[in-house]
Amino acid sequence: MKQSTRVAATLAPAARRLRRRLTRPHVILGVVLAAIMLYLVVAPLGVMIQTTITWQPQDARLTADAEPGKLTFFHYLRVFSSELSRSMLWTPLKNTLLTATGASVLALALGILLAWLVVRTDLPGRRYLSSVLTIPYMLPSWTIALAWIVLFKNERMGGAIGFLQSATGLIPPNWLSYGPVPIVICEAIHYFAFAFLLVSGALSTLDARLEESGEVLGARRWQVLSRITVPLILPSILSAFILTFSRALGSFGTPAFLGNPIRYYVLSTTLYNNIQSRLQADGFVLSMVLIVISIVTIYINQRALGIRKSFVTIAGKGFTSTPVRLGRLKGLVLALVWLFVAVAVVAPLLFLVYQTFMLHPNNYSLSNFTLHFWTGESNIRIADGIEGIFRNPELWNATRNSVLLAVSTATITALVGILLGYAVVRGRGTFLSKVVEQMAFLPYLIPSIAFGAIYLGMFAKPIGPIPSLYGTFWLLLLVSVVKNFPYSSRSGTAAMMQVGGELEEAALVAGARWLSRFRQVILPLCRSGLVSGFLLTFITTMRELSLIILLVTPVTRTLPTLTFRYAEQGYHQPGDAITVVLVVIILVAEWLVRRLPGAEIGKGLGA
Amino acid sequence: MHRIELRNVTKRFGSVTAVDHVDLVIEKGDFLTLLGPSGCGKTTILRMIAGLEDPDEGEILIDDRVVSSHEKGIFVAPADRGFGLVFQSYALWPHMTVFQNAAFGLKIAKRPKEEIRRRVGAILADLQIADMADRYPQEMSGGQQQRVALARMLAPQPGIFLLDEPLSNLDARLRVDMRSELKRLHRTAGATALYVTHDQTEALTMSTHIAVMRAGRLEQVDAPMRVYRCPATLFVTDFVGSPKTNLLDATAVQEGGATNAVLESLTIGGLAAQVSGPVVVAVRPEDVRLSLQPEPGAYEFMTYSVLPSGSETILNVQRGNLLLTVKDTRDLEIEMDRPIWVTFDPRRVNLYDKATGKLVGAAARPTESS
């Protein structure tokens, strides 16, 4: 009797302590977010792995042994060691590694060189240059690929001739028209912005006195560059490489447009084909391959950065150093840089626009000029009766879908990011915080196309209270928000780190409850991070192709997926016209958001 | 006025014990300063009293009401403890004006608009920042921001002030001005104050009591002059006072009812403490007397460096391996590397046990008062 009352008396304080610990805002938030992510991030991964090791109903047409639902290594064997392995895995894997490495190296070289020219030299018009150079990154990666086709396609493929052949009579060789060379170049032109933004950021916050100390001690300019500057910005170079490489690994649009016509496949396009031909399990095995490559890359990155990261913090207040004088080379460098801008930024857009005004795809003379693909009425003799896109209800539908999807994804992502950041930063050091942080990072590892495929499988039927989402806008929204978790949690964490604990504690001491602390203190203080995060998500969602290509239906189709469909069917002009519309929307939105203070695309990049 | 009491309070962060079984009472109307080097746990104590951290052991009482108790599972929310707090960083909200910052607490408490306007207005006027009510904190100087932080603390009229190194971000001159203003504020508000600092001058000038901390434990809790004159441990004597106290290894020898401290090259005689064996002799720089001519009983030293600073001159003098720091307030013109004669006043010398670091022989005790 006495014993039991004592137990009760000691239990009550323990229970109260536990309640206090569990009712802290960051704990509640962490638990809720972890539960949501368990369902939206971890479960899909589990579903995918499970799919690869069980017999699928479709397997029945491949082998008589199939017992749907039973455990099997059939799919792994099929992908890794069968007569199909060569075309299904090894060749695409080789192609993937080749194009991703090539694109990353080229992008890095371009990015570093341009960053150095813009930040550290007396090149005229540097400020203007730095905003122009981020344009390719804002556009869909396959814009350049489409433009490349306009310029370099040859009549051996698909009939129509490219601008080059029409203008000069030279027939571009196949290796220049399609395949690895154009893929590497087009991706590099898209991705060099990563390296440019990260390295120019590192260069401009690098304390010039570190370099000057070297000069004072008698080091020559190149010695300062190689012994001091490069080692100090090495972490950002590595980050840029990893960022570029892991994106290029899963990139879909560019290899699809430039590789498919000559049967040059990479893992992402093979994966898409597999899933399109209902070989989902095989496709998922390929996803696993992509995921493993991603993990290895990230692991290497962390091993390499782990040691070096410490001195990123040395970066000083950003003293402006004396710019390097280019001297007599100034004119030449300036010309080359602007030539690059012309080739990489202006020309692709011009070619796309030009193509949309061409009635016949292989006649580049002015007599072929038409407004048909913009405003023309349906004519059965042209492009199977597709009307000019401004008359095309599909365009309006897709535009509405795209804008709605991008705005809502960006809004939700920004908010979720702050919540994730709050749970991670306030709980720093606790197990829950680590779990939340790691879970939010998981979608980064899953290639977009595979992520879309998993969601297709998971939400095709009702689960618990959630009805079947297939064919609805909500599925696109869900998958876009979840795929953005890694970026939103990163930028949210960074924003919360800056807010610091004491600003919130000051409100706590004054008696403000959590909701009013969040609304009145945390949210306003995260504003600048929110705006740049919003812009970045808006842009990436606007141009998203691979993530949602498997999930869209005619009703929910977006601008990029509409382009893809037209391009796939060989209707280049309508596809290009839609791309032009998409580009205009992105550029206008970017311009508008930039009017707001605190918006900077580099900030949301968080790498 | 409120009384604050800590009973056996312990706080750990991982494997580090930040606060180690501390008992401390802050009496009504006291101005108690927690003094210690960074990382000694003084801010953690303040944060536990504020309710921003939970103790891992022990309990905290405000006016006999338990506000935090690990054992009893009691926790009173910060806002219900009746204190105002100034953070070291001030933690002013950059998106709110000075007025909005100061009015936040009253607004949360849903006080009438008119009352808020009047009270905040009066406080801003008292602190001489009334004309800056519509500015944002980042448009103000450090000293003005400090005043905004004070205004925010004062607006809800708390009975307890918790001040976490509030002056450490100010430049030296402003810091001296603010000291007297804070002292004044404490008196007019009739509040109980807990002040955290690592600056021993600040602690000595402002407090009614000083609690010196080291590695999570209290070394000494006493009135400022007692902390200065009779530091309880070698750590306290070393930490309090500038320039630093001279600490000299010696052997205490009893001789005819008095104690002599025998050093390598000299002996300090006539000490009152009844000890013998290895000791540490502590002499404050201002308690060493210098003379330019030989005197009976004086030891000859050589000047090593002379650092005049207007009101006083700091000298380092050397005899063999023995190096002494001396403070002299006379206007002296002394060159380096010349002989100088030193005498010790036995009533101004403290002796510490070499092994334990505890005070074993306090020479002259200041009058007991606090």
Side-chain angles (χ1 to χ4, degrees):
Chain A
M1 196 60 191
K2 212 174 177 186
Q3 189 69 32
S4 69
T5 50
R6 236 199 3 241
V7 170
T10 52
L11 194 67
R16 279 203 289 266
R17 285 200 299 269
L18 191 67
R19 192 185 62 190
R20 159 135 175 89
R21 204 170 299 158
L22 295 185
T23 53
R24 295 197 178 169
H26 68 82
V27 175
I28 297 178
L29 206 57
V31 169
V32 170
L33 288 169
I36 292 175
M37 287 194 290
L38 196 65
Y39 180 60
L40 292 177
V41 178
V42 180
L45 200 61
V47 168
M48 189 175 91
I49 293 169
Q50 197 208 0
T51 309
T52 62
I53 53 168
T54 44
W55 287 109
Q56 300 299 305
Q58 304 90 295
D59 294 336
R61 61 183 176 167
L62 298 174
T63 166
D65 301 337
E67 289 177 73
K70 290 270 167 57
L71 200 69
T72 179
F73 289 108
F74 173 75
H75 303 115
Y76 282 93
L77 291 173
R78 203 167 117 88
V79 170
F80 281 97
S81 66
S82 74
E83 65 278 16
L84 288 173
S85 301
R86 199 185 169 75
S87 67
M88 204 195 249
L89 177 69
W90 303 118
T91 309
L93 178 62
K94 193 193 76 194
N95 294 344
T96 303
L97 292 176
L98 181 77
T99 53
T101 311
S104 308
V105 169
L106 187 56
L108 224 59
L110 282 171
I112 295 171
L113 183 66
L114 287 165
W116 184 74
L117 285 174
V118 166
V119 177
R120 280 297 160 94
T121 67
D122 59 351
L123 199 67
R126 294 180 297 157
R127 208 160 287 171
Y128 191 62
L129 202 58
S130 72
S131 56
V132 173
L133 284 173
T134 51
I135 291 180
Y137 177 68
M138 292 188 287
L139 309 184
S141 58
W142 33 267
T143 322
I144 295 151
L146 290 178
W148 186 280
I149 293 172
V150 176
L151 184 59
F152 288 114
K153 70 185 163 190
N154 58 25
E155 61 188 344
R156 269 172 258 162
M157 302 290 157
I161 58 168
F163 182 78
L164 189 73
Q165 190 177 351
S166 152
T168 63
L170 295 170
I171 304 170
N174 271 356
W175 61 263
L176 186 62
S177 303
Y178 298 103
V181 172
I183 292 176
V184 164
I185 294 173
C186 289
E187 289 194 344
I189 289 176
H190 176 67
Y191 287 122
F192 84 88
F194 280 137
F196 175 73
L197 288 173
L198 287 171
V199 174
S200 58
L203 277 177
S204 57
T205 54
L206 185 72
D207 190 339
R209 286 173 301 190
L210 297 175
E211 292 173 308
E212 284 159 8
S213 312
E215 273 171 54
V216 168
L217 291 172
R220 288 167 191 283
R221 186 135 250 163
W222 65 268
Q223 284 174 317
V224 170
L225 201 66
S226 64
R227 303 255 178 96
I228 299 174
T229 316
V230 171
L232 282 172
I233 61 167
L234 202 58
S236 61
I237 293 180
L238 267 174
S239 302
F241 180 81
I242 296 306
L243 211 57
T244 315
F245 186 74
S246 53
R247 299 281 180 106
L249 271 183
S251 128
F252 174 74
T254 305
F257 288 128
L258 290 170
N260 289 2
I262 58 160
R263 304 188 166 280
Y264 183 86
Y265 294 115
V266 295
L267 282 176
S268 63
T269 48
T270 315
L271 208 165
Y272 175 76
N273 294 341
N274 271 310
I275 288 168
Q276 283 297 66
S277 39
R278 323 239 332 120
L279 294 171
Q280 220 162 61
D282 296 352
F284 284 169
V285 174
L286 294 179
S287 313
M288 299 291 292
V289 174
L290 273 177
I291 293 174
V292 168
I293 301 175
S294 293
I295 293 175
V296 170
T297 326
I298 288 162
Y299 176 75
I300 293 171
N301 175 44
Q302 281 184 340
R303 282 299 297 271
L305 275 187
I307 322 157
R308 304 185 164 273
K309 206 157 206 172
S310 54
F311 56 65
V312 185
T313 50
I314 296 177
K317 289 173 186 167
F319 296 89
T320 41
S321 65
T322 352
V324 175
R325 291 216 179 77
L326 292 172
R328 279 179 304 160
L329 290 174
K330 197 193 266 184
L332 182 65
V333 172
L334 191 67
L336 282 175
V337 167
W338 284 102
L339 182 68
F340 173 76
V341 169
V343 169
V345 184
V346 183
L349 293 176
L350 281 182
F351 278 113
L352 278 188
V353 174
Y354 193 87
Q355 170 114 61
T356 65
F357 291 114
M358 284 161 51
L359 186 57
H360 301 291
N362 49 3
N363 183 347
Y364 291 85
S365 67
L366 270 179
S367 62
N368 193 31
F369 180 88
T370 180
L371 285 173
H372 177 81
F373 294 104
W374 289 99
T375 59
E377 285 179 41
S378 176
N379 179 341
I380 197 66
R381 283 179 310 164
I382 310 169
D384 287 337
I386 299 173
E387 57 263 81
I389 59 162
F390 285 140
R391 285 180 185 275
N392 190 339
E394 290 223 48
L395 172 84
W396 299 117
N397 182 38
T399 306
R400 219 200 43 186
N401 283 341
S402 277
V403 172
L404 204 59
L405 182 65
V407 169
S408 35
T409 302
T411 311
I412 297 173
T413 296
L415 199 65
V416 167
I418 299 296
L419 294 176
L420 280 169
Y422 187 90
V424 169
V425 172
R426 290 289 187 266
R428 185 114 289 186
T430 63
F431 178 70
L432 184 65
S433 158
K434 280 190 201 109
V435 166
V436 169
E437 198 172 17
Q438 296 297 327
M439 277 165 109
F441 181 69
L442 273 183
Y444 188 80
L445 299 176
I446 309 175
S448 293
I449 185 105
F451 205 71
I454 302 168
Y455 268 53
L456 180 65
M458 255 183 91
F459 294 97
K461 47 187 187 298
I463 312 171
I466 303 168
S468 165
L469 292 178
Y470 181 69
T472 66
F473 175 78
W474 302 112
L475 183 54
L476 301 187
L477 181 58
L478 191 65
V479 79
S480 305
V481 169
V482 175
K483 190 70 175 96
N484 270 305
F485 274 2
Y487 310 104
S488 58
S489 83
R490 242 186 203 190
S491 57
T493 306
M496 280 303 302
M497 293 274 225
Q498 283 184 338
V499 170
E502 294 192 341
L503 287 173
E504 191 194 351
E505 282 171 354
L508 170 71
V509 164
R513 293 173 158 275
W514 186 76
L515 209 62
S516 81
R517 296 205 297 275
F518 191 78
R519 266 203 354 256
Q520 297 188 46
V521 175
I522 292 165
L523 221 47
L525 291 178
C526 291
R527 210 188 70 103
S528 84
L530 282 175
V531 172
S532 41
F534 179 93
L535 182 61
L536 196 72
T537 320
F538 177 85
I539 290 171
T540 45
T541 312
M542 264 323 266
R543 62 172 197 222
E544 185 61 65
L545 176 64
S546 49
L547 181 66
I548 53 178
I549 184 74
L550 292 165
L551 301 173
V552 291
T553 55
V555 182
T556 58
R557 204 166 268 153
T558 59
L559 290 171
T561 52
L562 194 59
T563 302
F564 183 74
R565 198 184 68 121
Y566 281 141
E568 222 180 10
Q569 295 169 347
Y571 305 128
H572 283 290
Q573 295 95 325
D576 293 348
I578 289 165
T579 306
V580 171
V581 171
L582 179 59
V583 165
V584 169
I585 295 177
I586 289 177
L587 290 181
V588 168
E590 202 267 348
W591 183 81
L592 282 177
V593 175
R594 235 173 231 241
R595 307 294 102 189
L596 299 170
E600 211 177 300
I601 192 159
K603 262 195 218 160
L605 201 60
Chain B
M1 284 201 258
H2 303 276
R3 177 179 184 274
I4 302 169
E5 184 176 355
L6 277 73
R7 288 187 188 154
N8 201 29
V9 168
T10 296
K11 177 72 188 178
R12 300 181 194 90
F13 294 108
S15 58
V16 182
T17 305
V19 176
D20 195 359
H21 298 96
V22 164
D23 291 293
L24 178 67
V25 175
I26 309 169
E27 294 294 349
K28 290 177 183 183
D30 238 4
F31 193 116
L32 183 131
T33 297
L34 282 171
L35 173 68
S38 61
C40 71
K42 54 196 192 300
T43 293
T44 308
I45 288 187
L46 178 137
R47 288 174 60 85
M48 282 192 288
I49 294 172
L52 296 171
E53 306 279 358
D54 295 358
D56 292 323
E57 269 175 56
E59 55 188 26
I60 298 169
L61 292 86
I62 296 180
D63 295 333
D64 301 324
R65 171 191 182 210
V66 179
V67 291
S68 278
S69 166
H70 179 82
E71 288 74 18
K72 296 177 189 151
I74 292 172
F75 178 81
V76 175
D80 300 332
R81 298 184 179 204
F83 65 87
L85 171 59
V86 173
F87 289 94
Q88 183 179 2
S89 66
Y90 309 151
L92 296 174
W93 298 300
H95 60 297
M96 297 185 198
T97 62
V98 168
F99 184 89
Q100 287 168 330
N101 263 286
F104 189 85
L106 295 172
K107 241 171 79 188
I108 290 293
K110 297 212 165 60
R111 306 308 286 262
K113 263 212 169 80
E114 177 51 30
E115 185 197 329
I116 296 177
R117 209 187 49 74
R118 191 167 37 78
R119 248 161 78 178
V120 173
I123 286 167
L124 293 182
D126 273 355
L127 291 167
Q128 295 152 27
I129 46 172
D131 51 333
M132 299 178 185
D134 294 326
R135 283 210 211 167
Y136 287 91
Q138 56 275 26
E139 303 165 353
M140 308 173 84
S141 69
Q144 291 161 341
Q145 290 184 12
Q146 158 82 77
R147 285 162 189 272
V148 180
L150 282 173
R152 188 173 68 184
M153 175 188 83
L154 293 170
Q157 295 177 318
I160 298 171
F161 295 173
L162 300 180
L163 304 155
D164 186 4
E165 308 225 10
L167 305 185
S168 62
N169 290 336
L170 300 180
D171 60 55
R173 187 179 286 243
L174 205 53
R175 209 179 306 171
V176 175
D177 293 346
M178 281 312 284
R179 274 181 207 158
S180 79
E181 213 160 330
L182 269 180
K183 213 167 171 173
R184 201 67 226 165
L185 214 59
H186 167 247
R187 190 183 169 84
T188 42
T192 304
L194 176 67
Y195 190 94
V196 166
T197 186
H198 63 268
D199 180 331
Q200 46 94 24
T201 320
E202 228 165 85
L204 291 169
T205 48
M206 297 179 65
S207 329
T208 54
H209 284 92
I210 296 177
V212 185
M213 282 192 77
R214 175 200 192 181
R217 289 170 175 275
L218 292 178
E219 289 271 309
Q220 184 175 9
V221 184
D222 235 326
M225 273 325 279
R226 282 193 54 80
V227 170
Y228 188 76
R229 279 291 162 217
C230 304
T233 63
L234 272 176
F235 174 80
V236 177
T237 194
D238 191 39
F239 192 77
V240 176
S242 172
K244 280 181 185 277
T245 308
N246 294 298
L247 297 176
L248 317 168
D249 283 339
T251 311
V253 180
Q254 300 285 328
E255 209 181 278
T259 305
N260 293 342
V262 181
L263 284 78
E264 205 174 303
S265 58
L266 55 84
T267 299
I268 305 172
L271 301 168
Q274 296 297 309
V275 282
S276 53
V279 290
V280 177
V281 175
V283 195
R284 294 221 176 265
E286 68 268 30
D287 295 335
V288 178
R289 207 167 57 79
L290 292 181
S291 98
L292 300 177
Q293 281 85 40
E295 271 183 31
Y299 291 99
E300 184 182 341
F301 278 66
M302 293 293 281
T303 55
Y304 178 80
S305 62
V306 182
L307 311 165
S309 66
S311 64
E312 62 192 36
T313 302
I314 308 294
L315 298 95
N316 285 306
V317 296
Q318 199 174 21
R319 178 185 170 92
N321 287 329
L322 186 66
L323 196 64
L324 276 184
T325 305
V326 185
K327 181 158 102 180
D328 199 308
T329 50
R330 293 170 294 177
D331 286 349
L332 293 174
E333 299 262 345
I334 307 171
E335 60 274 30
M336 285 157 69
D337 288 327
R338 63 152 283 172
I340 197 159
W341 284 266
V342 165
T343 37
F344 298 94
D345 180 351
R347 290 163 305 169
R348 293 286 197 175
V349 173
N350 288 325
L351 292 185
Y352 293 87
D353 186 293
K354 175 104 175 109
T356 64
K358 294 246 163 66
L359 181 64
V360 286
R365 289 172 189 278
T367 46
E368 299 280 342
S369 78
S370 58

